[in-house]
Every structure is written in C-alpha cells, then in structure tokens.
Amino acid sequence: MKKSESLPSGMALRAVLLLERLSRLVRAGDHASGLAPAQWEALRYLARANRFSRTPAALADYLGATRGTVSQTLIALEDKELVRKTGSSRDRRSVELSLTSGGVALLEHDALKDLARDIDASGEADGLAQGLQAALHQALVRRGGRAFGVCRTCRHFRPGGRGDKAGKPHHCTLLDEPLSDADASLVCFEHT
Amino acid sequence: MKKSESLPSGMALRAVLLLERLSRLVRAGDHASGLAPAQWEALRYLARANRFSRTPAALADYLGATRGTVSQTLIALEDKELVRKTGSSRDRRSVELSLTSGGVALLEHDALKDLARDIDASGEADGLAQGLQAALHQALVRRGGRAFGVCRTCRHFRPGGRGDKAGKPHHCTLLDEPLSDADASLVCFEHT
DNA sequence: GCCTATAGTATCGACTCAATACTAAATCGC
DNA sequence: GCGATTTAGTATTGAGTCGATACTATAGGC
C-alpha cells in the first residue's frame, strides 16, 4: 500500500494551523495599507538583498514565484514609484532594482513590525525564531534541497579559478570568504 | 512626535520574516495541487468546525475575509463538488456547508501535512506551537481583542436566561459548560 | 406590522499567479 | 569566431483572491 508516510504529530499539525492563521493576519495588515501582500514582500526583499541580489530573477527565486509573476508585481511597484529599474552594465539583459525614497519611507510603516512587536510581547521571540528556522531548514531540504541554495546558485557566489587566477577558487561576496570547489556545492545558510 | 512605537527586537523581526517565508512554501504546495490556497483553507476549516460553525459567515470570520470573498470561494468549491450547501432549517437566510466525499478525500493529501512532517523532523514542534500560540494570542488581542473572539460572538455560544429558563445563563456548546454574563464577554480560546 | 440587523449573493476593479510564448543578450562548444 | 544553448526579462491569457459596494431575503426587536 501507499501508506500514510509517517503521520505528522498532532503538535506539528497544530503549529502549521497556527502558522497559517498568523500569516493570514500579516497579509490582512498588508492589504489594509494599499499595497498587495506580494508587493510588500518585494519591497522587504529589496531592502535586505545585497547588490547582486536585487534583480527580478533573484526576487522570483526568493518568493518561489515565476519570473512572469514577479515581472507583473514590479511593474505595479514601478507605476507607484516605489521601485526603480536600471539596466545593469555587467549584463545588458539584466535589470538592477532599487527602492525609491518613497519605497524606503513606506517600509517604515511595514505591518510586519506590528506582528514583531506582538511576538516581543509574547516573550517567545527566541524560541519562535529558532523553531521557525529549524522548520524552514527542514522544509527546504525536503523540497529538493535546492531551495536553501548551494553556493553555486547563490547570488553571493562569485566563481573563480579561471584563467590566470587559477589559484583562488571561488568567493562569497557576502561573507567575503574564499570557497573550495567542494564548499561551493554545499548549502549556504545565507543563500539569497 | 509620532515616534517609533517601541522598535521590535531583531529576533522578533527575524521570526516574522521566517514565518512569511514558511507560509509562502505552504501556499506553493497548495497551489501545486490544483486548488487555490484560500480554497484549501476553506476545506480545512470545514473539516474542523462544529455544526454551528459551518456557515459562510463563520468561515469569513475565521479567514478574516469579507463575506463576498468567501461567497466566491465557496462557489468555486461547489463547482468542483468538494463542498455542498444546504439551506438551514433554523434560519432560512442561512446556509449549512459540508464537505463532500471528494472534499474529504482531497484533505487526505493536504500539503500542510508535508510541512507538519518537516516540523516533526526539526524536533521543534512543541516549542514552535507554543511560540506561535502565544504570538497569535498577542496579535489578536492587539487587533481589537475581538478576533480571538468573545463568547458572545462565538459560534459555540448559546444565549440563555430568557423566559422561563432565567436561571441558566448562557451556554457553550463546544465545552458544554454554562457561562456567566461576565464570562460571556471574555475571549474564548476555542473561539470559532 | 414596521424597522433594523443579519445571511448571503452579484458585480467590479486591482492584483496574484502559472503557463505559454516571445525577444535579446550572454555563454558554450568546437 | 560562430552557431546552439542557456538565461534575463517581458507580454498575454485565464482562473482565482479580495475589498467595496449594492442588492435580496429573512429574522427579530419593539
């Protein structure tokens, strides 16, 4: 038989239900402020991503959405003058995204902060962050292992060891550390 | 000045970000299976709600959505023959919702279970559930206190003390316990 | 019986999202 | 170098979400 594939515990089920409910609250908060949830997520991402990561493709990866979807969201944000697009000089196909001053200002009133304050008030911030981190790690590992991201596919990863620089292997621009060929195939906790 | 209203801690912010990311994973899983996330949520709710709570209005409350939105979602689910509507005999305006056998069968493969298994694997199920519970409680209290639900607005609440039954006050059909007038104004953890 | 509150539906407009199809630029393979 | 493949991004379409608004019908207070 196909069997039940190790039934999840009641406690885990309970946690997932709570998680859905909480995230729905955040979305409701998002919506109240004029922007759609996905638009907020894009702004949040852009505020946290390094300069290699502020592209539509990286955003699509982060959100787990297709590029087409992200493209639409970005058009909406550009129309609202919260995000600016500038062609990359390195790669003429590519686009550099940046927040406008309006976008930055808007993030000051991010509804996420309300929930963060609630979490602080609950006194469970540390345990919650730890539990979520572990759960996310597991979830990403399960879904192909790819999602947490091996460095090779990471925006922070710069390949090396080509041509005359054959000595230096690869490089992570976030941690500013060299990476061996083997390291480069491992998941990066700080992956885009 | 308006001031920053007690900046949330970095840890809480981190937790919120993780929460969004995790819930996005669940949504992606939902979507992959043909139904939209909101439709899944409706099915999940109907599977867990008691008979007083299986109405469009209660579902709208639970989801934090408007009745119009829920009405649309239910139409889609009815078209797919996952949910059935039957007019209530108590109140001819009202509709009783129930899962069809197809709806029940579909819930067997709920993508939520995958994440629940991930949480089990992370070994953080207890801490996570506890943290989420506390955070949700705080969040609901903040947003007017109404959301967790005072018994008066709860589907499990049956008013009493009218006419010849003036002795017995109110009653909660879920816990099967009488409720004083004061109790009835307090939040109920098991609220719809 | 009237008046108001409530249950639910219909419709509209902005947005999400996947799928598909497309253009243009970079990179590889030889 | 030069053609084939890969990759970055956009346009379009169709199903669905969601709030707002307006509507019908029933319930319940007085």
Side-chain angles (χ1 to χ4, degrees):
Chain A
M1 54 174 157
K2 193 55 172 312
K3 88 140 169 16
S4 47
E5 286 181 348
S6 72
L7 280 182
S9 73
M11 195 53 86
L13 238 21
R14 176 176 171 74
V16 177
L17 255 2
L18 286 166
L19 188 132
E20 274 300 289
R21 204 145 149 62
L22 253 185
S23 96
R24 189 165 274 277
L25 268 187
V26 176
R27 286 180 131 68
D30 283 352
H31 214 287
S33 51
L35 288 189
Q39 297 175 353
W40 270 110
E41 300 248 19
L43 293 182
R44 285 167 195 149
Y45 173 80
L46 290 177
R48 286 162 23 93
N50 71 22
R51 77 177 182 288
F52 298 115
S53 309
R54 290 195 295 266
T55 73
L59 177 56
D61 267 20
Y62 178 79
L63 294 179
T66 63
R67 296 177 179 189
T69 298
V70 167
S71 193
Q72 292 310 105
T73 300
L74 287 173
I75 287 170
L77 288 174
E78 209 182 5
D79 286 350
K80 292 175 184 177
E81 302 195 36
L82 300 172
V83 162
R84 204 180 302 113
K85 292 181 192 169
T86 39
S88 161
S89 45
R90 290 191 306 113
D91 184 336
R92 225 164 320 184
R93 295 167 306 178
S94 195
V95 167
E96 289 243 329
L97 302 171
S98 53
L99 294 177
T100 65
S101 55
V104 172
L106 201 55
L107 275 172
E108 294 293 316
H109 311 305
D110 191 341
L112 231 50
K113 291 183 178 177
D114 291 338
L115 182 56
R117 271 188 285 273
D118 293 334
I119 289 174
D120 276 330
S122 78
E124 296 275 354
D126 285 10
L128 194 53
Q130 184 188 335
L132 287 170
Q133 174 74 62
L136 180 59
H137 177 67
Q138 272 299 323
L140 290 175
V141 166
R142 170 186 282 261
R143 273 144 237 260
R146 186 213 157 290
F148 227 147
V150 298
C151 279
R152 245 174 241 297
T153 69
C154 179
R155 296 294 133 189
H156 308 130
F157 177 77
R158 309 272 85 200
R162 275 227 308 263
D164 46 16
K165 299 184 179 180
K168 271 198 255 162
H170 310 300
H171 193 76
C172 174
T173 59
L174 178 71
L175 305 171
D176 200 30
E177 288 279 341
L179 292 167
S180 74
D181 212 43
D183 282 339
S185 297
L186 298 177
V187 298
C188 171
F189 274 37
E190 295 290 347
H191 188 276
T192 308
Chain B
M1 56 174 157
K2 193 56 173 308
K3 113 175 138 351
S4 48
E5 287 180 348
S6 73
L7 281 181
S9 73
M11 194 54 86
L13 237 21
R14 177 177 171 70
V16 178
L17 254 2
L18 286 166
L19 188 133
E20 274 300 289
R21 206 148 146 61
L22 253 184
S23 96
R24 188 164 276 276
L25 268 186
V26 175
R27 287 180 129 68
D30 283 353
H31 215 287
S33 50
L35 288 189
Q39 296 175 355
W40 270 110
E41 300 248 17
L43 293 183
R44 286 168 196 147
Y45 173 81
L46 291 177
R48 285 160 24 92
N50 70 21
R51 78 176 182 289
F52 297 115
S53 311
R54 288 195 296 266
T55 73
L59 177 56
D61 268 19
Y62 178 78
L63 295 179
T66 62
R67 296 179 177 187
T69 297
V70 167
S71 193
Q72 292 311 104
T73 299
L74 288 173
I75 288 170
L77 287 174
E78 208 181 6
D79 286 351
K80 293 176 183 176
E81 303 196 37
L82 300 172
V83 162
R84 203 180 304 114
K85 292 182 192 168
T86 38
S88 161
S89 45
R90 289 192 304 115
D91 183 338
R92 225 167 319 186
R93 296 168 304 178
S94 195
V95 166
E96 290 242 329
L97 302 170
S98 53
L99 294 176
T100 64
S101 55
V104 172
L106 201 55
L107 275 171
E108 294 293 316
H109 310 305
D110 190 340
L112 230 51
K113 291 183 178 177
D114 291 338
L115 183 56
R117 271 188 286 271
D118 293 334
I119 289 174
D120 277 330
S122 78
E124 297 276 353
D126 285 9
L128 195 53
Q130 184 187 334
L132 288 169
Q133 174 73 63
L136 180 59
H137 178 65
Q138 272 298 325
L140 290 175
V141 165
R142 169 186 283 261
R143 273 145 236 263
R146 186 214 158 287
F148 225 147
V150 298
C151 280
R152 245 175 240 296
T153 70
C154 179
R155 296 294 133 188
H156 309 129
F157 177 77
R158 308 273 87 199
R162 275 224 311 262
D164 45 16
K165 299 183 178 180
K168 271 199 254 161
H170 311 300
H171 192 76
C172 173
T173 59
L174 178 71
L175 304 171
D176 201 30
E177 289 279 339
L179 292 167
S180 75
D181 212 45
D183 282 340
S185 296
L186 297 176
V187 299
C188 172
F189 274 37
E190 296 290 347
H191 187 274
T192 307

